Amino acid sequence: MKSLLGRVEPYAGDPILLLNEVYERDPRVDKANLGIGVYLGEDGAIPVLQSVRLASERIGIQVRGYLPMEGHPRYRDLVCELVLGKGHPAVLAGRVTTIQTVGSTGGISLAADLLAKQCPGRQVYVSDPSWDNHHGLFQRAGFRTSTYPYWNPKTRSLDFDGLIRALREARDSSIIVVQPVCHNPTGIDLNADQESVLSDLLLEKRHLVVFDMAYQGFGAGLDEDAGFVRRFAERAVDGGCLIVNSFSKNLALYGERCGALTVVCCDKREAECVLGQLKLAIRNCYATPPMTGALLVSVILAEAKLFTCWSDELSGMRERMHRMRQRLATEIRALADAVDTKFLLEQRGMFSFAGLSPRQISQLRREGVYLLDTGRMCIAGLTSSNVAKVARCFCAVTKVECRK
Ligand code: LMR
């Protein structure tokens, strides 16, 4: 008998999540997980932050009724303030709406759905390289996606001229996905001058910008990292922009799936209508968002003591990642002075991109050092116990390629 479903295509799986499963199955004790973008502490485990522990005690067990479609009201207000800062002109003008989302992936997905409904058929541009799921999320909503240059493999740095050229040549009012801080996978961000040139161009071309800010606090600090989106939102008076953020990484709340989508609109009426459309999309998809993560985040953002505790912990995470970059560079140079490690220290956040070949990446994996197939290395997976081994393996594979 023929199945009612017809021919169901197989799905090979997501490269990041699959690699993590392979890592988990690897019985070696000296393996290093530099694949998935998860922050690990010195002990190689995901930390439970003290701020989260205290917030968890504070919220205890309480009535868990359904949240409104758009999420917890306090969470929405507090997250909007964390993203745009206190007293942002767009907020004061009432032209901003923030909704609670299921992680930042859920936020991008809702943004893509909204844009598919409001401005279908536009071209979506994602950096090359980018987090692979950016393409999938917009394609699922019905868009065609293409890329703009970002990484220059020769200089192991930003291809800013290529980026500007591509976005200038793009049709006006295209949809541009921009990662404002701690770019995934390269770890390369725009400097202040580049940010201002890019913002001018985006506004001049009336491109619709979707900011994916998944790593607020991992670059220089919570306020510093939000600077790009805050400045842009202030200038985007006519068009607006969309900003997605997440607490997976900066609060180590991966499984809670708490994120948000903030839409900066042209006026108050549009903001109200956008909120309505987002509520409708949520209602037709998962009805209402989950509660616990939103409560934890709200308590941390609202209470000065807990907020300070979190900021300190965040500084600790940021500094640990920076130390690990330095350690890796030092260890590599101690083994092979000729290997260029400058790129490691110029990049920031969780990821580093060395432009390794597929062959070098498989060789590293055979040694128990897991990087993504693209060569993305999660610096947050380095610890004092594995950094020397990673450096040794890095030198070995780099030299093998050099000799040929
Ligand atoms: C990553 O980039 O590795 C993380 O954001 C995890 C994921 O869902 O891909």
Side-chain angles (χ1 to χ4, degrees):
M1 212 195 305
K2 266 208 165 135
S3 163
L4 291 175
L5 293 176
R7 194 161 160 262
V8 183
E9 295 285 331
Y11 170 54
D14 176 80
I16 297 179
L17 302 178
L18 269 181
L19 182 70
N20 202 47
E21 287 171 21
V22 176
Y23 171 84
E24 294 293 343
R25 284 199 300 271
D26 186 335
R28 285 173 286 189
V29 280
D30 64 343
K31 58 186 179 175
N33 192 0
L34 312 183
I36 194 160
V38 166
Y39 177 90
L40 305 179
E42 249 314 289
D43 58 354
I46 297 176
V48 179
L49 302 191
Q50 176 67 358
S51 46
V52 171
R53 230 183 259 283
L54 294 171
S56 175
E57 282 165 18
R58 196 72 52 85
I59 66 173
I61 298 289
Q62 42 178 281
V63 175
R64 295 283 204 267
Y66 287 126
L67 282 177
M69 294 170 273
E70 65 277 23
H72 196 291
R74 214 152 76 108
Y75 175 90
R76 293 172 52 219
D77 287 346
L78 290 161
V79 173
C80 179
E81 192 175 298
L82 182 76
V83 169
L84 288 177
K86 258 193 184 49
H88 191 281
V91 177
L92 296 179
R95 59 183 185 95
V96 176
T97 188
T98 298
I99 57 155
Q100 181 184 335
T101 61
V102 181
S104 58
T105 308
I108 299 170
S109 180
L110 282 167
D113 282 349
L114 176 76
L115 297 178
K117 195 165 175 182
Q118 297 310 125
C119 30
R122 291 202 198 171
Q123 188 69 32
V124 175
Y125 289 87
V126 169
S127 66
D128 176 22
S130 193
W131 184 49
D132 201 40
N133 212 14
H134 282 146
H135 288 281
L137 287 161
F138 281 94
Q139 285 168 6
R140 186 172 168 273
F143 286 106
R144 280 193 321 265
T145 63
S146 45
T147 57
Y148 58 83
Y150 198 84
W151 161 260
N152 181 338
K154 285 203 189 96
T155 56
R156 283 178 167 166
S157 62
L158 180 68
D159 180 3
F160 188 64
D161 292 343
L163 178 158
I164 290 295
R165 203 175 314 118
L167 297 188
R168 183 168 291 291
E169 281 167 10
R171 222 188 160 125
D172 285 6
S173 303
S174 294
I175 296 167
I176 317 292
V177 180
V178 173
Q179 296 184 52
V181 69
C182 301
H183 183 266
N184 177 4
T186 66
I188 299 169
D189 292 334
L190 273 61
N191 64 32
D193 292 339
Q194 291 166 335
E195 177 207 307
S196 124
V197 172
L198 174 60
S199 297
D200 288 348
L201 176 68
L202 293 167
L203 293 166
E204 178 198 320
K205 296 274 298 176
R206 291 188 59 78
H207 287 323
L208 193 43
V209 186
V210 179
F211 286 106
D212 179 4
M213 186 165 64
Y215 305 97
Q216 188 180 359
F218 274 9
L222 286 166
D223 286 324
E224 293 88 333
D225 292 357
F228 189 171
V229 301
R230 290 178 187 177
R231 286 184 284 273
F232 191 84
E234 195 169 340
R235 292 184 63 195
V237 181
D238 296 338
C241 61
L242 295 88
I243 309 159
V244 174
N245 75 300
S246 156
F247 296 98
S248 300
K249 326 281 175 176
N250 58 17
L251 263 171
L253 285 177
Y254 299 92
E256 301 294 338
R257 311 304 297 135
C258 27
L261 166 63
T262 295
V263 188
V264 181
C265 301
C266 67
D267 57 29
K268 193 164 186 267
R269 191 183 164 276
E270 187 181 68
E272 281 162 10
C273 293
V274 163
L275 175 61
Q277 288 302 319
L278 291 171
K279 282 161 76 166
L280 176 64
I282 290 165
R283 187 66 187 148
N284 293 163
C285 185
Y286 54 85
T288 71
M291 171 83 86
T292 310
L295 290 178
L296 291 172
V297 173
S298 302
V299 171
I300 293 167
L301 296 182
E303 293 193 18
K305 236 171 99 181
L306 289 191
F307 186 81
T308 307
C309 176
W310 175 44
S311 305
D312 292 347
E313 292 181 296
L314 199 47
S315 303
M317 294 198 268
R318 196 167 55 237
E319 280 155 21
R320 197 189 92 71
M321 288 187 282
H322 188 66
R323 269 200 313 280
M324 282 301 134
R325 281 184 188 281
Q326 289 175 321
R327 264 295 285 283
L328 183 59
T330 311
E331 297 271 356
I332 290 174
R333 301 213 34 142
L335 292 165
D337 204 31
V339 179
D340 182 11
T341 54
K342 206 163 66 131
F343 70 97
L344 269 171
L345 304 172
E346 286 167 353
Q347 301 165 348
R348 60 182 189 163
M350 281 185 120
F351 303 116
S352 179
F353 205 68
L356 295 174
S357 68
R359 192 171 149 174
Q360 290 172 316
I361 293 157
S362 336
Q363 202 179 335
L364 282 169
R365 223 172 273 171
R366 279 199 296 278
E367 298 298 324
V369 176
Y370 285 78
L371 265 65
L372 295 192
D373 286 340
T374 57
R376 186 188 82 176
M377 184 194 314
C378 181
I379 290 292
L382 288 172
T383 64
S384 306
S385 328
N386 66 23
V387 66
K389 173 184 170 156
V390 173
R392 248 191 341 269
C393 296
F394 186 89
C395 288
V397 302
T398 314
K399 278 190 205 153
V400 168
E401 287 291 302
C402 289
R403 257 193 251 129
K404 280 197 286 110

